[in-house]
Structures are given as structure tokens and as C-alpha cells.
Coordinates of all heavy atoms in Angstrom, one line a residue:
M1 N 0.8 -1.2 0.0 CA 0.0 0.0 0.0 C 0.9 1.3 0.0 O 0.3 2.3 -0.2 CB -0.9 0.0 1.2 CG -2.1 -0.9 1.0 SD -3.4 -0.7 2.3 CE -3.6 1.0 2.5
F2 N 2.2 1.1 0.2 CA 3.0 2.3 0.3 C 3.0 3.1 -1.0 O 2.8 4.3 -1.0 CB 4.4 2.0 0.6 CG 5.3 3.2 0.6 CD1 5.3 4.1 1.6 CD2 6.3 3.3 -0.4 CE1 6.1 5.2 1.6 CE2 7.1 4.4 -0.4 CZ 7.0 5.4 0.6
E3 N 3.0 2.4 -2.1 CA 3.0 3.1 -3.4 C 1.7 3.8 -3.7 O 1.6 4.7 -4.4 CB 3.4 2.1 -4.6 CG 2.4 1.1 -4.9 CD 2.5 -0.2 -4.1 OE1 3.4 -0.2 -3.2 OE2 1.7 -1.1 -4.3
Q4 N 0.6 3.3 -3.1 CA -0.7 3.9 -3.3 C -0.8 5.3 -2.5 O -1.7 6.0 -2.8 CB -1.8 3.0 -2.8 CG -1.9 1.8 -3.7 CD -3.0 0.9 -3.2 OE1 -2.7 -0.3 -2.9 NE2 -4.2 1.3 -2.9
E5 N 0.1 5.5 -1.6 CA 0.0 6.8 -0.8 C 0.5 8.0 -1.6 O 0.3 9.1 -1.3 CB 0.8 6.6 0.5 CG 0.2 5.6 1.4 CD 1.1 5.4 2.7 OE1 2.0 6.2 2.9 OE2 0.8 4.5 3.4
K6 N 1.2 7.7 -2.7 CA 1.7 8.8 -3.5 C 0.6 9.3 -4.4 O -0.1 8.5 -5.1 CB 2.9 8.3 -4.4 CG 4.1 7.8 -3.7 CD 5.1 7.2 -4.6 CE 6.2 6.6 -3.8 NZ 7.1 5.8 -4.6
P7 N 0.2 10.6 -4.3 CA -1.0 11.1 -5.1 C -0.7 11.1 -6.6 O 0.4 11.4 -7.0 CB -1.2 12.5 -4.5 CG 0.1 12.9 -3.9 CD 0.8 11.6 -3.5
V8 N -1.7 10.7 -7.3 CA -1.7 10.7 -8.7 C -2.7 11.8 -9.2 O -3.8 11.8 -8.7 CB -2.1 9.4 -9.3 CG1 -2.1 9.4 -10.8 CG2 -1.2 8.3 -8.8
Q9 N -2.3 12.8 -10.0 CA -3.1 13.9 -10.3 C -4.0 13.7 -11.5 O -5.1 14.2 -11.6 CB -2.2 15.1 -10.5 CG -1.4 15.5 -9.3 CD -2.3 15.9 -8.1 OE1 -3.4 16.5 -8.3 NE2 -1.9 15.5 -6.9
T10 N -3.5 13.0 -12.5 CA -4.2 12.8 -13.8 C -4.3 11.3 -14.2 O -3.5 10.5 -13.8 CB -3.6 13.6 -14.9 OG1 -2.2 13.1 -15.1 CG2 -3.5 15.1 -14.6
V11 N -5.3 11.1 -15.1 CA -5.5 9.7 -15.6 C -4.3 9.5 -16.6 O -4.0 10.3 -17.4 CB -6.8 9.6 -16.3 CG1 -7.0 8.3 -17.0 CG2 -7.9 9.9 -15.3
P12 N -3.7 8.3 -16.6 CA -2.6 8.0 -17.5 C -3.2 8.0 -18.9 O -4.3 7.8 -19.2 CB -2.2 6.6 -17.1 CG -2.7 6.3 -15.8 CD -3.9 7.2 -15.6
K13 N -2.3 8.3 -19.9 CA -2.7 8.4 -21.3 C -2.7 7.0 -22.0 O -2.7 6.9 -23.2 CB -1.7 9.3 -22.0 CG -1.8 10.7 -21.5 CD -1.1 11.7 -22.3 CE -1.1 13.1 -21.8 NZ -2.3 13.7 -21.4
K14 N -2.7 5.9 -21.3 CA -2.8 4.6 -21.8 C -4.3 4.1 -21.8 O -5.1 4.7 -21.1 CB -1.9 3.6 -21.1 CG -2.3 3.5 -19.6 CD -1.3 2.5 -18.9 CE -1.8 2.4 -17.4 NZ -1.0 1.5 -16.7
P15 N -4.6 3.1 -22.6 CA -6.0 2.7 -22.7 C -6.6 2.1 -21.3 O -7.7 2.4 -21.0 CB -6.1 1.6 -23.7 CG -4.8 1.7 -24.5 CD -3.8 2.4 -23.6
G16 N -5.7 1.4 -20.6 CA -6.2 0.8 -19.3 C -7.0 -0.4 -19.5 O -7.2 -0.9 -20.6
C17 N -7.5 -1.0 -18.4 CA -8.4 -2.2 -18.5 C -9.8 -1.8 -19.0 O -10.1 -0.6 -19.0 CB -8.4 -2.8 -17.1 SG -9.1 -1.8 -15.8
A18 N -10.5 -2.8 -19.4 CA -11.8 -2.5 -20.0 C -12.9 -2.0 -18.9 O -13.6 -1.1 -19.2 CB -12.4 -3.7 -20.7
L19 N -12.9 -2.7 -17.8 CA -14.0 -2.4 -16.8 C -13.4 -2.5 -15.4 O -12.6 -3.4 -15.1 CB -15.1 -3.3 -16.9 CG -16.3 -3.2 -15.9 CD1 -17.0 -1.9 -16.0 CD2 -17.2 -4.4 -16.1
Q20 N -13.7 -1.5 -14.5 CA -13.4 -1.6 -13.1 C -14.6 -1.4 -12.2 O -15.6 -0.8 -12.6 CB -12.4 -0.5 -12.8 CG -11.0 -0.7 -13.1 CD -10.0 0.3 -12.5 OE1 -10.5 1.3 -12.0 NE2 -8.7 0.0 -12.6
I21 N -14.5 -2.0 -11.0 CA -15.5 -1.9 -10.0 C -14.9 -1.1 -8.9 O -13.7 -1.3 -8.5 CB -15.9 -3.2 -9.5 CG1 -16.3 -4.2 -10.6 CG2 -17.0 -3.1 -8.5 CD1 -17.4 -3.8 -11.5
G22 N -15.6 0.0 -8.4 CA -15.0 0.8 -7.3 C -16.1 1.0 -6.3 O -17.3 0.8 -6.5
F23 N -15.6 1.3 -5.1 CA -16.5 1.5 -3.9 C -15.9 2.5 -3.0 O -14.6 2.5 -2.8 CB -16.7 0.2 -3.2 CG -17.7 0.3 -2.1 CD1 -19.1 0.4 -2.3 CD2 -17.3 0.3 -0.8 CE1 -20.0 0.5 -1.3 CE2 -18.2 0.4 0.3 CZ -19.6 0.5 0.0
I24 N -16.7 3.3 -2.4 CA -16.2 4.3 -1.4 C -17.2 4.4 -0.3 O -18.4 4.3 -0.5 CB -15.9 5.7 -2.0 CG1 -15.2 6.6 -1.0 CG2 -17.2 6.3 -2.5 CD1 -14.6 7.8 -1.6
T25 N -16.8 4.4 1.0 CA -17.6 4.4 2.1 C -17.0 5.2 3.2 O -15.7 5.3 3.3 CB -18.1 3.0 2.6 OG1 -19.0 3.1 3.6 CG2 -16.9 2.2 3.1
G26 N -17.8 5.7 4.2 CA -17.2 6.4 5.3 C -17.7 5.7 6.6 O -18.7 5.0 6.7
S27 N -16.9 5.9 7.6 CA -17.2 5.4 8.9 C -16.6 6.3 10.0 O -15.6 6.9 9.8 CB -16.6 4.0 9.0 OG -17.0 3.4 10.3
M28 N -17.3 6.2 11.2 CA -16.7 7.0 12.3 C -16.0 6.0 13.2 O -16.5 4.9 13.5 CB -17.8 7.6 13.1 CG -18.6 8.7 12.3 SD -17.6 10.0 11.8 CE -17.3 10.9 13.3
I29 N -14.7 6.3 13.5 CA -13.9 5.5 14.3 C -13.7 6.1 15.7 O -13.3 7.3 15.8 CB -12.5 5.3 13.6 CG1 -12.7 4.7 12.2 CG2 -11.5 4.5 14.5 CD1 -11.5 4.6 11.4
P30 N -13.9 5.3 16.8 CA -13.6 5.8 18.1 C -12.1 5.9 18.4 O -11.4 4.9 18.2 CB -14.4 4.9 19.0 CG -14.4 3.6 18.3 CD -14.4 4.0 16.8
I31 N -11.7 7.0 18.9 CA -10.3 7.2 19.3 C -10.3 7.5 20.8 O -10.9 8.5 21.2 CB -9.6 8.3 18.5 CG1 -9.8 8.1 17.0 CG2 -8.2 8.5 18.9 CD1 -9.0 6.9 16.5
M32 N -9.6 6.7 21.5 CA -9.5 6.9 23.0 C -8.1 7.5 23.3 O -7.1 6.9 22.9 CB -9.7 5.5 23.7 CG -9.8 5.6 25.2 SD -11.4 6.3 25.7 CE -12.5 4.9 25.3
S33 N -8.1 8.5 24.1 CA -6.9 9.1 24.6 C -7.0 9.2 26.1 O -8.1 9.2 26.7 CB -6.6 10.4 24.0 OG -7.7 11.3 24.2
V34 N -5.9 9.4 26.8 CA -5.8 9.5 28.2 C -5.3 10.8 28.7 O -4.4 11.4 28.1 CB -4.9 8.4 28.8 CG1 -4.8 8.4 30.3 CG2 -5.4 7.0 28.4
D35 N -6.0 11.4 29.7 CA -5.5 12.6 30.3 C -4.2 12.4 31.0 O -4.2 11.7 32.0 CB -6.6 13.2 31.2 CG -6.2 14.6 31.8 OD1 -5.1 15.1 31.4 OD2 -6.9 15.1 32.6
E36 N -3.1 12.9 30.5 CA -1.8 12.6 31.1 C -1.6 13.1 32.5 O -0.8 12.7 33.2 CB -0.7 13.1 30.2 CG -0.6 12.5 28.8 CD -0.3 11.0 28.9 OE1 0.4 10.6 29.8 OE2 -0.8 10.2 28.0
N37 N -2.4 14.1 32.9 CA -2.3 14.8 34.2 C -3.1 14.0 35.2 O -3.0 14.4 36.4 CB -2.6 16.2 34.1 CG -1.7 17.0 33.2 OD1 -0.5 16.7 33.1 ND2 -2.3 18.0 32.5
A38 N -3.9 13.1 34.9 CA -4.8 12.4 35.8 C -4.0 11.4 36.6 O -3.1 10.8 36.1 CB -5.9 11.7 35.0
K39 N -4.4 11.2 37.9 CA -3.8 10.2 38.7 C -4.2 8.8 38.3 O -3.4 7.9 38.3 CB -4.2 10.5 40.2 CG -3.5 11.7 40.8 CD -3.9 11.9 42.2 CE -3.3 13.2 42.7 NZ -3.6 13.4 44.2
D40 N -5.5 8.6 38.1 CA -6.0 7.3 37.7 C -6.3 7.4 36.2 O -7.3 7.9 35.8 CB -7.2 7.0 38.5 CG -7.7 5.5 38.2 OD1 -7.1 4.9 37.3 OD2 -8.6 5.1 38.9
K41 N -5.4 6.8 35.4 CA -5.6 6.9 33.9 C -6.7 6.1 33.4 O -7.2 6.3 32.3 CB -4.2 6.5 33.3 CG -3.1 7.3 33.8 CD -2.1 7.6 32.7 CE -0.9 8.4 33.1 NZ -1.1 9.7 33.6
R42 N -7.3 5.2 34.2 CA -8.4 4.4 33.7 C -9.7 5.2 33.8 O -10.6 4.9 33.0 CB -8.6 3.2 34.6 CG -7.4 2.2 34.6 CD -7.6 1.1 35.6 NE -7.6 1.8 37.0 CZ -8.0 1.2 38.1 NH1 -8.5 0.0 38.0 NH2 -8.0 1.8 39.2
K43 N -9.8 6.2 34.6 CA -11.0 6.9 34.8 C -11.1 8.2 34.0 O -12.2 8.8 33.8 CB -11.3 7.2 36.3 CG -11.5 6.0 37.1 CD -11.7 6.4 38.6 CE -11.9 5.1 39.4 NZ -12.2 5.4 40.8
N44 N -10.0 8.7 33.5 CA -10.0 10.0 32.8 C -9.6 9.8 31.4 O -8.8 10.5 30.8 CB -9.0 10.9 33.5 CG -9.4 11.3 34.9 OD1 -10.6 11.6 35.0 ND2 -8.5 11.4 35.8
Q45 N -10.3 8.9 30.7 CA -10.1 8.6 29.3 C -11.0 9.6 28.5 O -12.2 9.9 29.0 CB -10.4 7.2 29.0 CG -9.5 6.2 29.6 CD -9.8 4.8 29.3 OE1 -10.9 4.5 28.9 NE2 -8.9 3.9 29.6
I46 N -10.6 10.0 27.4 CA -11.3 11.0 26.6 C -11.6 10.2 25.3 O -10.8 9.7 24.6 CB -10.5 12.2 26.3 CG1 -10.1 12.9 27.6 CG2 -11.2 13.2 25.3 CD1 -9.0 14.0 27.4
L47 N -12.9 10.2 24.9 CA -13.4 9.5 23.7 C -13.6 10.6 22.6 O -14.4 11.5 22.9 CB -14.6 8.7 24.0 CG -15.2 8.0 22.7 CD1 -14.3 7.0 22.2 CD2 -16.6 7.4 23.1
Q48 N -13.0 10.4 21.5 CA -13.3 11.3 20.3 C -13.6 10.4 19.1 O -13.1 9.3 19.0 CB -12.0 12.1 20.0 CG -11.6 13.0 21.1 CD -10.3 13.7 20.7 OE1 -9.5 13.2 19.9 NE2 -10.1 14.9 21.3
W49 N -14.4 10.9 18.3 CA -14.8 10.2 17.0 C -14.2 10.9 15.9 O -14.2 12.1 15.7 CB -16.3 10.2 16.9 CG -17.0 9.3 17.9 CD1 -17.4 9.7 19.2 CD2 -17.3 7.9 17.8 NE1 -17.9 8.6 19.8 CE2 -17.8 7.5 19.0 CE3 -17.1 7.0 16.8 CZ2 -18.3 6.2 19.3 CZ3 -17.5 5.7 17.0 CH2 -18.1 5.3 18.2
K50 N -13.5 10.1 15.0 CA -12.9 10.7 13.8 C -13.4 9.9 12.6 O -13.6 8.7 12.6 CB -11.4 10.6 13.9 CG -10.8 11.4 15.0 CD -9.4 11.5 14.9 CE -8.9 12.4 16.1 NZ -7.5 12.7 16.0
E51 N -13.6 10.7 11.5 CA -14.2 10.1 10.3 C -13.0 9.5 9.4 O -12.0 10.1 9.2 CB -15.0 11.1 9.5 CG -15.6 10.5 8.2 CD -16.4 11.5 7.5 OE1 -16.2 12.7 7.6 OE2 -17.3 11.0 6.7
A52 N -13.3 8.3 8.9 CA -12.4 7.7 7.9 C -13.2 7.3 6.7 O -14.3 6.9 6.8 CB -11.7 6.5 8.5
R53 N -12.6 7.6 5.5 CA -13.3 7.2 4.3 C -12.4 6.2 3.5 O -11.2 6.5 3.2 CB -13.5 8.4 3.4 CG -14.5 9.4 4.0 CD -14.7 10.6 3.2 NE -15.7 11.4 3.9 CZ -15.8 12.7 3.6 NH1 -15.0 13.3 2.8 NH2 -16.8 13.4 4.3
L54 N -12.9 5.1 3.2 CA -12.2 4.0 2.6 C -12.7 3.9 1.1 O -13.9 3.9 0.9 CB -12.4 2.7 3.3 CG -11.8 1.4 2.7 CD1 -10.3 1.5 2.8 CD2 -12.3 0.2 3.3
S55 N -11.7 3.8 0.2 CA -12.1 3.6 -1.2 C -11.3 2.4 -1.7 O -10.2 2.0 -1.2 CB -11.7 4.8 -2.0 OG -10.3 5.1 -2.0
L56 N -11.9 1.7 -2.7 CA -11.2 0.6 -3.3 C -11.6 0.5 -4.7 O -12.7 0.9 -5.1 CB -11.4 -0.7 -2.6 CG -12.8 -1.4 -2.5 CD1 -13.0 -2.2 -3.8 CD2 -12.9 -2.2 -1.3
A57 N -10.8 -0.1 -5.6 CA -11.1 -0.4 -7.0 C -10.3 -1.6 -7.4 O -9.2 -1.9 -6.9 CB -10.6 0.8 -7.8
H58 N -11.0 -2.3 -8.3 CA -10.3 -3.5 -8.9 C -10.8 -3.7 -10.3 O -11.9 -3.4 -10.6 CB -10.5 -4.8 -8.0 CG -11.9 -5.3 -7.9 ND1 -12.4 -6.2 -8.8 CD2 -12.9 -5.0 -7.0 CE1 -13.7 -6.4 -8.5 NE2 -14.0 -5.7 -7.4
E59 N -10.0 -4.4 -11.1 CA -10.4 -4.7 -12.4 C -11.4 -5.8 -12.4 O -11.3 -6.7 -11.6 CB -9.2 -5.2 -13.2 CG -9.4 -5.5 -14.7 CD -8.2 -5.9 -15.5 OE1 -7.1 -5.8 -14.9 OE2 -8.4 -6.3 -16.6
H60 N -12.4 -5.7 -13.2 CA -13.5 -6.7 -13.2 C -12.9 -8.1 -13.5 O -12.1 -8.3 -14.4 CB -14.5 -6.3 -14.3 CG -15.7 -7.3 -14.4 ND1 -16.6 -7.5 -13.4 CD2 -16.0 -8.2 -15.4 CE1 -17.5 -8.4 -13.8 NE2 -17.1 -8.8 -15.0
G61 N -13.3 -9.0 -12.7 CA -12.8 -10.4 -12.8 C -11.6 -10.7 -11.9 O -11.2 -11.8 -11.8
R62 N -11.0 -9.7 -11.3 CA -9.8 -9.9 -10.4 C -10.3 -9.8 -9.0 O -11.3 -9.1 -8.7 CB -8.7 -8.9 -10.7 CG -8.1 -9.0 -12.1 CD -6.8 -8.5 -12.1 NE -6.2 -8.7 -13.4 CZ -5.0 -8.9 -13.6 NH1 -4.1 -8.9 -12.6 NH2 -4.5 -9.1 -14.8
V63 N -9.6 -10.4 -8.1 CA -10.0 -10.4 -6.7 C -9.0 -9.6 -5.8 O -9.1 -9.7 -4.6 CB -10.1 -11.8 -6.1 CG1 -11.3 -12.5 -6.8 CG2 -8.9 -12.6 -6.3
T64 N -8.1 -8.9 -6.4 CA -7.1 -8.1 -5.6 C -7.3 -6.6 -5.7 O -6.8 -6.0 -6.7 CB -5.7 -8.5 -5.9 OG1 -5.5 -8.3 -7.4 CG2 -5.3 -9.9 -5.6
P65 N -8.1 -6.0 -4.9 CA -8.4 -4.6 -5.0 C -7.2 -3.7 -4.5 O -6.4 -4.2 -3.8 CB -9.6 -4.4 -4.1 CG -9.5 -5.4 -3.1 CD -8.9 -6.6 -3.7
K66 N -7.2 -2.5 -5.0 CA -6.3 -1.5 -4.5 C -7.1 -0.5 -3.6 O -8.2 -0.1 -3.9 CB -5.7 -0.7 -5.7 CG -4.9 -1.5 -6.7 CD -3.7 -2.1 -6.0 CE -2.9 -3.0 -7.0 NZ -1.7 -3.5 -6.5
F67 N -6.5 -0.3 -2.4 CA -7.2 0.5 -1.4 C -6.7 1.9 -1.2 O -5.5 2.2 -1.5 CB -7.1 -0.2 0.0 CG -7.7 -1.5 0.1 CD1 -7.0 -2.7 -0.2 CD2 -9.0 -1.6 0.4 CE1 -7.6 -3.9 -0.1 CE2 -9.7 -2.9 0.4 CZ -8.9 -4.0 0.2
G68 N -7.5 2.8 -0.7 CA -7.1 4.1 -0.3 C -7.9 4.5 0.9 O -9.0 4.0 1.1
V69 N -7.3 5.3 1.7 CA -8.1 5.8 2.9 C -7.7 7.2 3.2 O -6.6 7.7 2.9 CB -7.7 4.9 4.1 CG1 -6.3 5.0 4.6 CG2 -8.7 5.2 5.3
V70 N -8.7 8.0 3.7 CA -8.6 9.4 4.1 C -9.1 9.5 5.5 O -10.3 9.1 5.7 CB -9.3 10.3 3.1 CG1 -9.3 11.7 3.6 CG2 -8.8 10.2 1.7
F71 N -8.3 10.0 6.4 CA -8.8 10.3 7.7 C -9.1 11.8 7.9 O -8.2 12.6 7.6 CB -7.7 9.9 8.8 CG -7.5 8.4 8.9 CD1 -6.4 7.8 8.3 CD2 -8.4 7.6 9.5 CE1 -6.2 6.5 8.4 CE2 -8.2 6.3 9.6 CZ -7.1 5.7 9.0
Q72 N -10.3 12.1 8.2 CA -10.7 13.5 8.5 C -10.5 14.4 7.3 O -10.3 15.6 7.4 CB -10.0 14.1 9.7 CG -10.5 13.4 11.0 CD -9.9 14.2 12.1 OE1 -8.7 14.0 12.4 NE2 -10.7 14.9 12.8
G73 N -10.6 13.8 6.1 CA -10.4 14.6 4.9 C -11.7 15.1 4.4 O -12.8 14.7 4.8
N74 N -11.7 16.0 3.4 CA -12.9 16.5 2.8 C -13.3 15.6 1.6 O -12.7 14.6 1.3 CB -12.7 18.0 2.4 CG -11.6 18.2 1.3 OD1 -11.3 17.3 0.6 ND2 -11.0 19.3 1.3
V75 N -14.4 16.0 0.9 CA -14.9 15.2 -0.2 C -13.9 15.1 -1.4 O -13.8 14.1 -2.0 CB -16.3 15.8 -0.6 CG1 -16.8 15.1 -1.9 CG2 -17.3 15.8 0.5
D76 N -13.2 16.2 -1.6 CA -12.3 16.2 -2.7 C -11.1 15.2 -2.5 O -10.7 14.5 -3.4 CB -11.7 17.6 -2.9 CG -12.7 18.6 -3.4 OD1 -13.7 18.2 -4.1 OD2 -12.6 19.8 -3.2
E77 N -10.7 15.2 -1.2 CA -9.6 14.2 -0.9 C -10.1 12.8 -1.0 O -9.3 11.9 -1.4 CB -9.1 14.5 0.5 CG -8.3 15.8 0.6 CD -7.9 16.2 2.0 OE1 -8.7 15.9 3.0 OE2 -6.9 16.8 2.2
A78 N -11.3 12.5 -0.6 CA -11.9 11.2 -0.7 C -12.0 10.8 -2.2 O -11.7 9.7 -2.6 CB -13.2 11.1 -0.1
G79 N -12.4 11.7 -3.0 CA -12.5 11.5 -4.5 C -11.1 11.2 -5.1 O -11.0 10.3 -5.9
Q80 N -10.1 12.0 -4.6 CA -8.8 11.8 -5.1 C -8.3 10.4 -4.7 O -7.6 9.7 -5.4 CB -7.8 12.9 -4.6 CG -6.4 12.8 -5.1 CD -6.3 13.0 -6.6 OE1 -6.9 13.9 -7.2 NE2 -5.6 12.1 -7.3
S81 N -8.6 10.0 -3.5 CA -8.3 8.6 -3.0 C -8.9 7.5 -3.9 O -8.2 6.6 -4.2 CB -8.7 8.5 -1.6 OG -8.4 7.2 -1.1
L82 N -10.1 7.7 -4.3 CA -10.8 6.7 -5.2 C -10.1 6.7 -6.5 O -9.8 5.7 -7.1 CB -12.3 7.0 -5.3 CG -13.0 6.1 -6.2 CD1 -13.0 4.6 -5.8 CD2 -14.5 6.5 -6.3
L83 N -9.8 7.9 -7.1 CA -9.1 8.0 -8.3 C -7.7 7.3 -8.3 O -7.3 6.6 -9.2 CB -8.9 9.4 -8.8 CG -8.1 9.7 -10.1 CD1 -8.8 9.0 -11.3 CD2 -7.9 11.1 -10.3
N84 N -7.0 7.5 -7.2 CA -5.7 6.9 -7.0 C -5.8 5.4 -7.0 O -5.0 4.7 -7.6 CB -5.0 7.4 -5.7 CG -4.5 8.8 -5.8 OD1 -4.5 9.4 -6.9 ND2 -4.2 9.4 -4.7
S85 N -6.8 4.9 -6.3 CA -7.0 3.4 -6.2 C -7.3 2.9 -7.6 O -6.8 1.8 -8.0 CB -8.2 3.1 -5.2 OG -7.9 3.5 -4.0
A86 N -8.2 3.6 -8.3 CA -8.5 3.1 -9.7 C -7.3 3.1 -10.6 O -7.1 2.2 -11.4 CB -9.6 4.0 -10.3
I87 N -6.5 4.1 -10.5 CA -5.3 4.2 -11.4 C -4.3 3.1 -11.1 O -3.8 2.4 -11.9 CB -4.6 5.6 -11.3 CG1 -5.5 6.6 -12.0 CG2 -3.2 5.6 -11.9 CD1 -5.1 8.1 -11.8
F88 N -4.1 2.8 -9.8 CA -3.2 1.7 -9.4 C -3.8 0.4 -9.8 O -3.0 -0.6 -9.9 CB -2.9 1.8 -7.9 CG -1.9 2.9 -7.5 CD1 -2.3 3.9 -6.7 CD2 -0.7 2.8 -8.0 CE1 -1.5 4.9 -6.4 CE2 0.2 3.8 -7.7 CZ -0.2 4.9 -6.9
A89 N -5.1 0.3 -10.0 CA -5.7 -1.0 -10.4 C -5.8 -1.1 -11.9 O -6.4 -2.1 -12.4 CB -7.1 -1.1 -9.8
G90 N -5.3 -0.1 -12.6 CA -5.2 -0.3 -14.1 C -6.2 0.7 -14.9 O -6.4 0.5 -16.0
F91 N -6.7 1.7 -14.2 CA -7.6 2.7 -14.9 C -6.8 3.4 -16.0 O -5.7 3.8 -15.8 CB -8.1 3.6 -13.9 CG -9.2 4.5 -14.4 CD1 -10.5 4.1 -14.5 CD2 -9.0 5.8 -14.8 CE1 -11.5 4.9 -14.9 CE2 -10.0 6.6 -15.2 CZ -11.3 6.2 -15.3
G92 N -7.5 3.7 -17.1 CA -6.9 4.4 -18.2 C -8.0 5.2 -18.9 O -9.1 5.4 -18.5
Q93 N -7.6 5.7 -20.1 CA -8.4 6.6 -20.9 C -9.7 5.9 -21.4 O -10.7 6.5 -21.6 CB -7.6 7.1 -22.1 CG -6.5 8.0 -21.8 CD -6.9 9.3 -21.4 OE1 -7.9 9.9 -21.9 NE2 -6.2 9.9 -20.4
Q94 N -9.7 4.6 -21.6 CA -10.8 3.9 -22.2 C -11.5 2.9 -21.2 O -12.3 2.0 -21.5 CB -10.4 3.1 -23.4 CG -9.9 4.0 -24.5 CD -9.4 3.2 -25.7 OE1 -9.4 2.0 -25.7 NE2 -8.9 3.9 -26.7
T95 N -11.2 3.1 -19.9 CA -11.8 2.2 -18.8 C -13.1 2.7 -18.4 O -13.3 3.9 -18.2 CB -10.8 2.2 -17.6 OG1 -9.6 1.8 -18.0 CG2 -11.4 1.3 -16.5
H96 N -14.1 1.8 -18.3 CA -15.4 2.1 -17.7 C -15.3 1.8 -16.3 O -14.9 0.7 -15.9 CB -16.5 1.3 -18.4 CG -16.7 1.7 -19.8 ND1 -17.5 2.7 -20.2 CD2 -16.2 1.1 -21.0 CE1 -17.5 2.8 -21.5 NE2 -16.7 1.8 -22.0
L97 N -15.7 2.7 -15.4 CA -15.7 2.6 -14.0 C -17.1 2.5 -13.4 O -17.8 3.5 -13.6 CB -14.8 3.7 -13.3 CG -14.7 3.7 -11.8 CD1 -14.0 2.4 -11.4 CD2 -14.0 4.9 -11.3
H98 N -17.4 1.4 -12.8 CA -18.7 1.3 -12.1 C -18.5 1.4 -10.6 O -17.7 0.6 -10.0 CB -19.3 -0.1 -12.4 CG -20.6 -0.3 -11.7 ND1 -21.8 0.2 -12.2 CD2 -20.9 -1.0 -10.6 CE1 -22.8 -0.1 -11.4 NE2 -22.3 -0.8 -10.4
T99 N -19.0 2.4 -10.0 CA -18.8 2.7 -8.6 C -20.0 2.7 -7.8 O -21.1 3.0 -8.3 CB -18.0 4.0 -8.3 OG1 -18.8 5.1 -8.8 CG2 -16.7 4.0 -9.0
C100 N -19.9 2.4 -6.5 CA -21.0 2.5 -5.5 C -20.4 3.3 -4.3 O -19.2 3.3 -4.1 CB -21.4 1.1 -5.0 SG -22.0 0.0 -6.3
G101 N -21.3 4.0 -3.7 CA -20.9 4.7 -2.5 C -21.9 4.5 -1.4 O -23.1 4.3 -1.6
R102 N -21.5 4.6 -0.2 CA -22.4 4.4 0.9 C -22.1 5.4 2.0 O -21.0 5.8 2.3 CB -22.2 3.0 1.5 CG -23.2 2.7 2.6 CD -23.1 1.2 2.9 NE -24.1 1.0 3.9 CZ -23.9 0.2 4.9 NH1 -22.8 -0.4 5.0 NH2 -24.8 0.1 5.8

């Protein structure tokens, strides 16, 4: 997944695969932190919720998707993450992309 962290700005000028399946969804993740100044660290825990958006794409007929994730990002960053996943999965100028979102 390390190579997927590098942002891709444009669609490659190659034809790419014929069809891709993509998906993007969001979820709230509980993050627990501890008040460092508290005497009893079990009782002074702070619960915060942070949003994560997961995207994936794979070539139709393959079972190895390419993933992307954005923590607390905006809609544009989530869309860029989906585009990056699609490009790493073989997206090109002539690729049809069927996506779902939730």
C-alpha cells in the first residue's frame, strides 16, 4: 500500500483495463486518549470520534483490489483517493468505472 500513498493527479494516457469496479464508504472510528495529568488513567479517558473514508477499486474479474483511505479529509480528498485506487488498479483513458458509495 505504500506506493498507493503517492498522489496521482491525472489519468494515464494509456487505454487501461476495460472495466473496473469501485467503492467508497465512510465510517466513524472511536479514538481513545488518556488525560496525562490524571492520577488514575483508567477513569480519565477521553473519547473522540474521527471520520475515515475507505475507497477501493479492482479490475472486473480480479480479486485483488487497491485500497485508499482518508482520515478526516474532505470530499475532494476522498474522491482523489478513489481515483488513485482506480489508477493503481489499471484505470486508463478507455476504462469504464462502475462505482458505488455508501
Side-chain angles (χ1 to χ4, degrees):
M1 281 189 44
F2 176 73
E3 69 273 3
Q4 291 178 236
E5 294 176 9
K6 299 174 186 171
V8 180
Q9 298 299 322
T10 60
V11 176
K13 297 192 185 304
K14 60 183 182 178
C17 60
L19 177 64
Q20 275 190 352
I21 310 298
F23 185 75
I24 190 165
T25 187
S27 181
M28 298 300 286
I29 299 174
I31 306 293
M32 189 71 73
S33 59
V34 178
D35 183 4
E36 295 297 328
N37 298 325
K39 289 182 181 180
D40 187 353
K41 304 220 184 289
R42 296 172 299 162
K43 294 182 180 178
N44 291 321
Q45 296 177 345
I46 302 167
L47 176 64
Q48 298 175 334
W49 291 87
K50 296 189 178 186
E51 184 178 21
R53 294 181 179 157
L54 176 69
S55 61
L56 66 86
H58 66 89
E59 184 177 352
H60 180 66
R62 297 208 177 207
V63 294
T64 54
K66 300 295 182 179
F67 295 94
V69 66
V70 175
F71 291 103
Q72 291 187 287
N74 60 27
V75 175
D76 293 332
E77 291 172 327
Q80 184 66 47
S81 175
L82 179 60
L83 176 61
N84 290 346
S85 299
I87 289 171
F88 285 117
F91 189 80
Q93 296 286 324
Q94 298 176 1
T95 302
H96 293 278
L97 178 62
H98 178 79
T99 60
C100 300
R102 185 169 182 222

